[in-house]
Amino acid sequence: MDLSCYITKTVPFKFRGINFIFDLSQGLFSSEDIDSGTRLLLKVLSKTLDEDAKNGKAPPQTVLDAGCGIGVIGICAAAAIGAMKTGTGGLVVRAQDRDELARVFTEHNAKKNKIPAGVLKAHTEPMLAGADNYYDLILCNIPAKAGLPVLEDFICRAAAMLAPGGKVVMVAVHTLANFFREKIKTCGAEFILEDKSAEYSVFVYGKNGLGFDAAPAETGKRFLDARPFYIRNSISHSLEDITVNIKTVYGAPGFDDPGGAVIAAAKLMRRIGARHLSHNADAACLVHEGGQGFFSCWLPEFFRKESLLPPPLVLSGRNILALEAARHNAANTESKTEPVIVPAADLTLAADRLLEAAAGLRRRQYGFIAAFPEILAQSRLAKGADQFKALWEALPALLAEGGVFIAGFSSSNAQRFDRVKPAGFSRLGDIKRNGFRALGYVYT
């Protein structure tokens, strides 16, 4: 399955006299049209660019689109600034989103609207991560459900990451307007203006002078240790008589429970046992999981309980915050190898990168794969798209001969998945639990 399967609507859009066309997805925010919050932010941005030009100020050269979604804000900013008569020189727009599917759509829409690859680059990363310089302009349609500690950090860190004379332009729902006004004031930023619509408020503010730490929220081994404001809770949970210690994070799917699909998969793993895992015990494991990392944390301990050395672990999924939580939680075990993370909207869109990760661990393929795919309703996919067939088609390249594959779904999705099983896979086990089902196969 390629990206076209996720495209469910194409809409025109006009900004500062420039005509755009954007592909939308039911799997991402604002799937029916360009949302009204984005429209208000761009209206304020246009006024800001005009006011700066009137005052003889050069257009911004370094721009950050934090939480880019399908890329509307960053793409419009890149085109509009590039079209300004004063010229832009080395304009660079960094677009970032925690969702890998959003990154892929942003790159796709940038190319569709003829934004040069050297001007706009998209990244899967938390807000304000990955920056290696100061910005003339930071733009953000801020996610209301990101968690108040994360939102507060954004206000202060964004102000500290501005170049002299730089501006943050952000839009938020009215229910958070008072919160943002207070935090902009508290962090000592220069409050420039506020614009409102019936549902949203746009805030424009400048650099702060309080010496707030401007270091970006880099991803990596110590991500949660360095950025504790992402941590929502710390819990212990018993999963098949194995206790896992989990730090859950804001902005990632799933809460303080592993969920029925993971519980069913752990039960199935226990039933299958070491007799089928020992054949590829030294091969790398791949876990494609969208939650908080319960299965990733549990898996190394399960191998130890089966008297097997935990193999190298590769973690994939759409949400970089979920992956960082999973890596952190899995690394809290006694595994000698730091888990590798590979953002992946699905296994087909990231097959090459997943094989590169296995090669980096000196493994050609994976001896074990566990997947908990996000299955979208057929109405949310392009006509003719089939996520179940696409997943089966991706597996032969990823899974070593004799390797074990376990998939966790709702019971109805599991039935649909098993129905299209191709030749070369033999059933190892099947467990149903409270509306969820885990299926196990060996690849021959």
Side-chain angles (χ1 to χ4, degrees):
M1 189 166 73
D2 59 25
L3 184 64
S4 64
C5 297
Y6 287 99
I7 299 171
T8 50
K9 193 171 185 180
T10 300
V11 298
F13 187 69
K14 193 169 186 176
F15 178 63
R16 291 178 68 86
I18 304 172
N19 292 313
F20 299 89
I21 187 165
F22 291 102
D23 285 332
L24 309 181
S25 172
Q26 288 284 351
L28 294 169
F29 171 71
S30 193
S31 58
E32 291 299 318
D33 200 355
I34 309 304
D35 68 287
S36 54
T38 292
R39 291 174 185 270
L40 180 61
L41 183 149
L42 289 173
K43 178 182 176 182
V44 174
L45 172 62
S46 183
K47 292 179 180 178
T48 300
L49 292 175
D50 287 341
E51 186 68 21
D52 285 347
K54 180 180 177 180
N55 294 328
K57 183 178 179 180
Q61 300 294 291
T62 52
V63 180
L64 178 66
D65 178 6
C68 57
I70 64 162
V72 175
I73 293 173
I75 291 168
C76 286
I81 294 170
M84 294 178 74
K85 294 180 180 180
T86 51
T88 60
L91 171 64
V92 176
V93 178
R94 186 184 188 96
Q96 57 181 207
D97 200 285
R98 68 193 181 196
D99 191 331
E100 168 67 3
L101 187 60
R103 180 196 68 79
V104 176
F105 260 86
T106 296
E107 285 192 344
H108 166 81
N109 280 321
K111 184 177 181 179
K112 192 180 188 76
N113 287 284
K114 297 180 171 55
I115 305 297
V119 171
L120 188 148
K121 296 182 180 180
H123 303 264
T124 305
E125 58 193 9
M127 289 190 300
L128 307 184
D132 56 5
N133 57 15
Y134 290 94
Y135 288 95
D136 299 322
L137 180 64
I138 297 178
L139 305 168
C140 185
N141 185 343
I142 202 152
K145 297 181 180 180
L148 293 182
V150 177
L151 299 179
E152 180 176 1
D153 179 81
F154 173 84
I155 292 296
C156 297
R157 194 177 305 278
M161 291 172 62
L162 291 172
K167 296 182 179 70
V168 176
V169 183
M170 57 161 288
V171 63
V173 293
H174 278 328
T175 53
L176 288 172
N178 288 335
F179 172 84
F180 286 122
R181 286 189 205 100
E182 179 62 29
K183 295 307 174 183
I184 292 171
K185 178 181 178 181
T186 300
C187 76
E190 175 195 4
F191 192 95
I192 298 174
L193 66 87
E194 177 181 355
D195 202 338
K196 301 178 183 179
S197 69
E199 301 174 84
Y200 295 93
S201 291
V202 171
F203 298 96
V204 182
Y205 62 97
K207 193 171 181 64
N208 71 23
L210 300 182
F212 186 86
D213 177 17
E218 298 285 359
T219 56
K221 183 176 180 180
R222 295 184 57 81
F223 175 75
L224 290 185
D225 292 334
R227 299 291 180 261
F229 50 83
Y230 276 102
I231 299 173
R232 189 183 68 240
N233 202 358
S234 297
I235 63 171
S236 294
H237 189 94
S238 180
L239 191 59
E240 287 301 297
D241 299 323
I242 295 174
T243 299
V244 293
N245 299 308
I246 294 287
K247 289 183 178 178
T248 59
V249 298
Y250 290 109
F255 295 96
D256 297 342
D257 183 274
V262 168
I263 292 172
K267 287 182 177 295
L268 182 56
M269 286 284 290
R270 187 175 183 181
R271 176 182 292 181
I272 291 172
R275 66 187 186 279
H276 289 292
L277 297 175
S278 57
H279 177 72
N280 282 294
D282 62 340
C285 288
L286 169 63
V287 178
H288 183 80
E289 186 177 10
Q292 299 277 354
F294 281 90
F295 193 85
S296 304
C297 187
W298 175 85
L299 187 61
E301 300 306 321
F302 169 77
F303 273 96
R304 292 190 185 92
K305 195 169 185 178
E306 295 284 313
S307 299
L308 295 171
L309 182 67
L313 187 59
V314 175
L315 311 175
S316 73
R318 281 178 54 173
N319 188 304
I320 189 64
L321 296 175
L323 290 178
E324 286 294 351
R327 172 158 61 181
H328 180 94
N329 292 328
N332 284 340
T333 68
E334 297 176 3
S335 176
K336 294 182 180 179
T337 305
E338 177 75 12
V340 176
I341 61 175
V342 179
D346 61 45
L347 295 183
T348 60
L349 286 174
D352 290 344
R353 286 182 286 125
L354 290 170
L355 287 173
E356 288 175 4
L361 296 170
R362 299 181 181 180
R363 306 294 193 273
R364 181 172 173 269
Q365 293 168 304
Y366 295 95
F368 173 77
I369 298 176
F372 305 90
E374 180 184 353
I375 301 300
L376 300 177
Q378 196 62 39
S379 61
R380 299 176 67 187
L381 290 168
K383 185 177 181 180
D386 190 325
Q387 287 182 281
F388 301 107
K389 287 184 179 180
L391 178 54
W392 279 120
E393 290 169 358
L395 288 173
L398 297 171
L399 196 59
E401 184 177 348
V404 173
F405 172 63
I406 284 181
F409 302 98
S410 68
S411 293
S412 59
N413 282 332
Q415 183 177 6
R416 293 167 60 196
F417 177 72
D418 189 60
R419 189 183 301 141
V420 294
K421 177 177 69 68
F425 290 88
S426 301
R427 177 84 70 82
L428 278 180
D430 180 357
I431 281 185
K432 299 177 182 179
R433 183 186 184 277
N434 298 334
F436 293 90
R437 186 176 175 188
L439 297 162
Y441 306 89
V442 62
Y443 178 51
T444 56

